[in-house]
Each structure stands twice: as C-alpha cells, then as structure tokens.
Amino acid sequence: MAKKFIVLLAFISMILMSCSNRAEQSDKPVTLKVLGTSEMLFNEQYGNVFVATHPNYSIEFISASDPILNGEDPLSAYSRLMDQQKPDVVILSNNMYTYLTGKGKLVSLNDYINNDEYNLSDVTPAVLSFLKNDAGELYGLTPTFTGTGLYYNKKLFKEYGVPAPTNGMTWDELFVLAQRFPTSNNGEKQFGYYSYDAYNPFLMALHVGQSKGLSLYNGKSFTFETESWKHIIEQVADCFKQQICFDRSTAKSAATTNREEMEKRSYPFLQGNIALAMDSSDLYSLLIMNKDRYADLDWGLVTMPGSEETQGAGTNINLTDIVSIPSDASEKEGAWTFINYVAGDQYARLLPRVNPGHLPVRLGPEGAQGEASAFYAFDRINDGLFDSLRELPMAVISKLDEIGPANFNDILSNKMTVDDAIKQMQNEMQAELNIAKPNQ
C-alpha cells in the first residue's frame, strides 16, 4: 500500500509540474457533489488525483450503493438521488447513460468541448459513437472501457493441427471450429469453447443473437419464434450436450484462498484445457500484468465473432465510468473542469498506474498495438437487443429471467425439443406482456 501511495504521489507531482505552464485558474473554493456507487473506488481512480491537482476543489460523494444493494432498481435509485441530492457530476453505466439522456436529464457537453478545444480525435470510434446521439450531441465522456474478445490456446491448436481463429469470424465458423477438439486429453477433460456467460446458456444464446442483429421484442410483441433464433438455440444447446462447451455447473466450487486458483475459477481459460474462450478485456489485463504466473499459457486474441448484418459493430463493450452533468446541477462549470480532467489527455497518462485493469479510450499516435487491437476494432456498439428489452415492464423482464433458463434446461435434459421450447417461451412471454400492457 505504501509503495502504491508513493507511486501515486510521484505521478501527481508530474502532473502538477505539467500544469505550471497553463493559465492560472481561479482560486475560488468549489465543492462538487458526485453521485456514484463506490466512494472508495471513486477516490482511488479519480477523486484523490483530481483534488491533488486542483487544490481549490473538494468533493462530496453521494453513494447509490446502499439502496441498490437493498433491492432498489439502479435506474430508479439514480433518478431519485438526482432529484433529491442535486449532484453536479454523475458516474454512469451504459444503460444509465442511455436512459438519462433519453429523459433529458443530462447537459450537452458540446459547448464546453468546443470552447475548450477539447481533443476527441484519439477517442476510440465505438466509444465516441455510443456517447453521441443522432444529432451529434455528447452528454458524457469516459476515460476507460472494457471489451470482449475471443482468446485461443495456441498450444492446443498446434497439437491438433487446427487453423487458428481469425478476426471477423462468424458464429457458425466459431462453433464448427470448437467441434474439432476432443473432449478429453489423457483422461483429463478438455473443451472446445467457453463463454463468460456459460453459467446461463439462455443468456449466452441471447448474446449470440444480439451480435447477429436479432431482437426478441419489436416494441409491440415478442419475436422469438423464428428460424434464426432456432438455429442459435440449437447451436448453443448442442455445444453443451456434446460437452464441447465448458459448463460452469460442473466446475469445482470448494472454498479456496489460493490466488491463482481463484483466478482460474473466474477465468477458466487460464486452466489450459480450453481451446477458445469468449471473455472480457479484464482477462487480457490479468494476463499482461501476470506474465510470469501464466508463462506456460501460450495464448492469442482476435475479435469476437459477428455477422455480415452487423459488420463493424461490437457487443458487450462497457463504458465503465461515463461522467456526466445533470441538467439541474448548480456547479456546471466546476463539473466540466472535473470531466475535462478525468477524461482528458493528462489523466490518460496516469491510467496504467491508477486503473490498469481497464482499457483507455484514448489511443496514442501509434494506435492499438498487438493483441489489444481486438478490443478497438469496432466503430460502434450494438446493444440493440438488450436496449429493447429495457423498455418492457419489470414483471415481463422477471418472467423472461424465469422461463428462459428453465426452458433451456429442459432442452439440455431432453425434456423438450427446441421447437417446443421456443413456442412455449413465445406464448408465455406474449401472455405476460398482454397482462402488463393490455391496451398495446
């Protein structure tokens, strides 16, 4: 901890020196009210450094974690606290940003950006595209994001003479590739494919469908009963039935305090017996920061699969901390000063030390290098399927969460055919929607 603090002080000193050539800022004391979830994490990543480099500023943190942990819907908790506490800055997730922007509760940053000649040229296109609305207005900025990529075990591919995966593969190609690996090796289990959402095969199927541009709900009715969805459900179900897909329900669950063991449970690809793994950029960061620990794992990384219909669009890209100004904030200028700093060039230099686990949205002149380029390959974010589901009443979403996994488990246990399961889900979900929205 002491070493980390000394390193942080050194970086703060560097930034302070770099600021000495700028025009003097006002010494007027400013208190910013910031709404987020974790005060400790906020201070570690943003608050401590910002206050150290802006000595006339202080921060009052408003936490939404307690109401959320007590069962309040995050969107409801944020909206309520914004109305009651009147924060100057809000820290948002993707769906919160989309929701609050649609409700007109955030300030457009375009005038601030233009007046300060704020640099957007090196922000990765997918992030910038998501943050802009159709009119080109920006209501928030972020310093980091997490992406999703397709990891592969080079040793297993060489051992079985299977050609390595490539950028821009289709899902059909991925599932065919995964089938080329035997399910055991010298008596030990081996898997062709793992997905981070393998704990819920139904959710896994939804993510595949979203990346193909499919939807479940068109604003009036459910649209599950199609050949496209049938094909995806069959692919995912066969992958588990044939034990090609890693099944988290069969993994070890005994308690452990061993760090490496815990990492391997969180990221099964690290075990070395999985050929292909769809996982987040958090795994990439772990591998890069712990090269000695996983020196025996010869791995590669390509972009996640897609389809011709969604070419250039990435899914499961999360903007970890979108920083915005509420429309009724009393300290808008000070809030912009905060956003300008934490989402700007200078703070980007601190990210490898302050927040090494996430990907910087800003790329230097050399662009994304090596394996990391897989996370920067997209020009937009495709969240269409899940965005449409958020329009549904909570009772309908809860019903989907209930019957989706249940019906999929019936498919896996051969209690129900794919056709029957899809038909039943379609009918039950439509019936629930008709109750929740009788006049639709």
Side-chain angles (χ1 to χ4, degrees), residues 72-235:
E72 187 174 357
D73 176 69
L75 292 177
S76 172
Y78 260 72
S79 296
R80 179 176 57 78
L81 289 170
M82 286 173 68
D83 291 338
Q84 293 175 353
Q85 301 291 335
K86 307 296 183 187
D88 303 301
V89 175
V90 287
I91 312 296
L92 307 171
S93 62
N94 289 36
N95 65 309
M96 287 180 181
Y97 178 78
T98 300
Y99 174 80
L100 293 173
T101 301
K103 294 293 184 180
K105 291 198 169 191
L106 303 178
V107 172
S108 170
L109 303 181
N110 284 41
D111 287 343
Y112 295 107
I113 289 169
N114 294 331
N115 291 338
D116 284 6
E117 297 181 347
Y118 178 86
N119 177 30
L120 292 170
S121 63
D122 57 355
V123 176
T124 186
V127 170
L128 199 58
S129 173
F130 176 84
L131 292 172
K132 285 183 177 180
N133 66 8
D134 293 340
E137 297 285 329
L138 278 163
Y139 292 87
L141 294 168
T142 182
T144 59
F145 73 104
T146 59
T148 302
L150 182 63
Y151 300 80
Y152 64 100
N153 186 317
K154 293 182 179 181
K155 179 182 176 182
L156 292 180
F157 274 83
K158 291 176 183 176
E159 182 176 345
Y160 295 103
V162 179
T166 58
N167 291 326
M169 288 176 58
T170 67
W171 283 99
D172 287 347
E173 290 170 336
L174 181 147
F175 282 114
V176 169
L177 197 61
Q179 292 171 4
R180 298 185 63 174
F181 295 88
T183 57
S184 65
N185 187 346
N186 295 324
E188 297 293 327
K189 285 187 175 182
Q190 185 172 268
F191 302 92
Y193 181 58
Y194 162 78
S195 178
Y196 60 93
D197 47 17
Y199 66 93
N200 184 341
F202 176 68
L203 183 61
M204 180 175 161
L206 293 189
H207 279 133
V208 174
Q210 176 170 259
S211 71
K212 287 186 170 187
L214 302 184
S215 66
L216 277 181
Y217 175 65
N218 62 13
K220 293 183 178 180
S221 59
F222 279 89
T223 57
F224 205 22
E225 208 169 359
T226 67
E227 285 301 314
S228 295
W229 276 116
K230 178 182 176 181
H231 179 63
I232 292 170
I233 297 294
E234 286 176 338
Q235 283 184 319

Side-chain angles (χ1 to χ4, degrees), residues 241 407 410-411 414-423:
K241 284 182 177 181
N407 278 271
D410 285 343
I411 294 172
N414 295 316
K415 294 179 181 178
M416 188 178 290
T417 66
V418 171
D419 284 326
D420 289 343
I422 288 177
K423 186 177 185 63

Side-chain angles (χ1 to χ4, degrees), residues 18 38 100 140 145 174 244 247 257 264 273 284 317 334 396 424:
S18 72
S38 171
L100 293 173
F145 73 104
L174 181 147
I244 294 166
D247 187 350
T257 58
K264 287 181 177 180
N273 63 340
Y284 167 80
I317 298 175
V396 180
Q424 182 165 312

